[in-house]
Amino acid sequence: MSFAIWIPVLISAGEYLCERAQLMRHDVGTLTWEPGMYFYFPDTWLFFLFFPALVEEIIFRGWLQSQFVRRYGLYRGIFLVGITWAAFHFPSDLSFSHFGSWAAIQSVCFRLFMCISLSFVLGWLTLETGSVLAAALAHTLYNVLVYSDLGPWFYGKDMLRVALWAVLGWILFRYWPAAPELTETYPVVAEAVDQA
């Protein structure tokens, strides 16, 4: 759960510190920035997003990831799960009538980048815990914090959030490879860990 929480908190803290530094630099004594603009508890109804996230994790990480990893290897398998997961979301991304061709291409590319980045982190959680529950909780918190959108909006905020998830996925697989006891479930993991 900390993965999904700390990335938006880190972005909000950065926004808060930058704006505080600008206030201090310009010596604007009458304006005060409230931390509540940057840090607040999301609406509780958003936590019902756990159920669709759990269903997605059962399908994509529980069933499909094991099939793809067994057939294509660890990294290619998780990458292909990310592409499949993105394709699952394409109809909802493209259902908006205001999309032009360029906006649709941007939406599809962003969805691919997002799903592949999250797929590596959620896939690692599934491999490490041997269950989809941790991935479902992280997926839920990711959705809750995206929909509640901590802090003011700035250009590139969504891309920064996903880029931090991509970095997290790289760090997890680079420095904490899958646990050896899980290589029985995913036989290809042993080969991938030895090659890394």
Side-chain angles (χ1 to χ4, degrees):
M1 292 188 328
S2 63
F3 297 154
I5 293 172
W6 282 107
I7 287 175
V9 166
L10 180 68
I11 293 171
S12 289
E15 284 181 286
Y16 178 73
L17 292 174
C18 285
E19 299 226 359
R20 287 295 288 180
Q22 287 179 351
L23 277 175
M24 298 297 275
R25 191 180 69 189
H26 295 297
D27 195 30
V28 182
T30 57
L31 288 175
T32 57
W33 289 96
E34 295 296 323
M37 291 174 51
Y38 299 90
F39 308 101
Y40 54 87
F41 195 77
D43 291 333
T44 54
W45 70 267
L46 287 171
F47 289 98
F48 285 109
L49 293 172
F50 172 76
F51 299 108
L54 179 63
V55 169
E56 283 186 27
E57 292 308 314
I58 289 171
I59 293 168
F60 291 101
R61 246 62 63 193
W63 180 72
L64 203 58
Q65 177 173 296
S66 64
Q67 302 298 316
F68 281 6
V69 166
R70 195 172 287 121
R71 183 170 183 147
Y72 300 109
L74 179 65
Y75 300 114
R76 281 183 289 185
I78 293 175
F79 180 80
L80 290 172
V81 168
I83 290 176
T84 307
W85 190 31
F88 173 76
H89 288 91
F90 285 163
S92 64
D93 290 342
L94 300 176
S95 65
F96 301 106
S97 60
H98 65 275
F99 272 158
S101 299
W102 180 244
I105 290 169
Q106 285 179 321
S107 176
V108 166
C109 290
F110 179 75
R111 176 64 76 176
L112 278 168
F113 179 53
M114 181 184 71
C115 286
I116 291 169
S117 299
L118 266 68
S119 188
F120 274 94
V121 175
L122 299 176
W124 183 88
L125 282 170
T126 302
L127 288 171
E128 193 63 29
T129 62
S131 169
V132 296
L133 191 56
L137 287 172
H139 185 167
T140 300
L141 288 173
Y142 175 84
N143 288 343
V144 165
L145 293 171
V146 164
Y147 288 130
S148 61
D149 200 24
L150 293 179
W153 183 87
F154 63 87
Y155 185 75
K157 185 175 185 178
D158 294 334
M159 188 60 77
L160 175 62
R161 181 186 303 120
V162 174
L164 289 172
W165 277 87
V167 169
L168 176 62
W170 178 79
I171 289 171
L172 290 173
F173 276 99
R174 176 77 174 111
Y175 295 104
W176 293 284
E181 61 271 7
L182 294 175
T183 57
E184 297 168 7
T185 308
Y186 297 100
V188 184
V189 172
E191 298 170 20
V193 169
D194 289 339
Q195 291 172 1

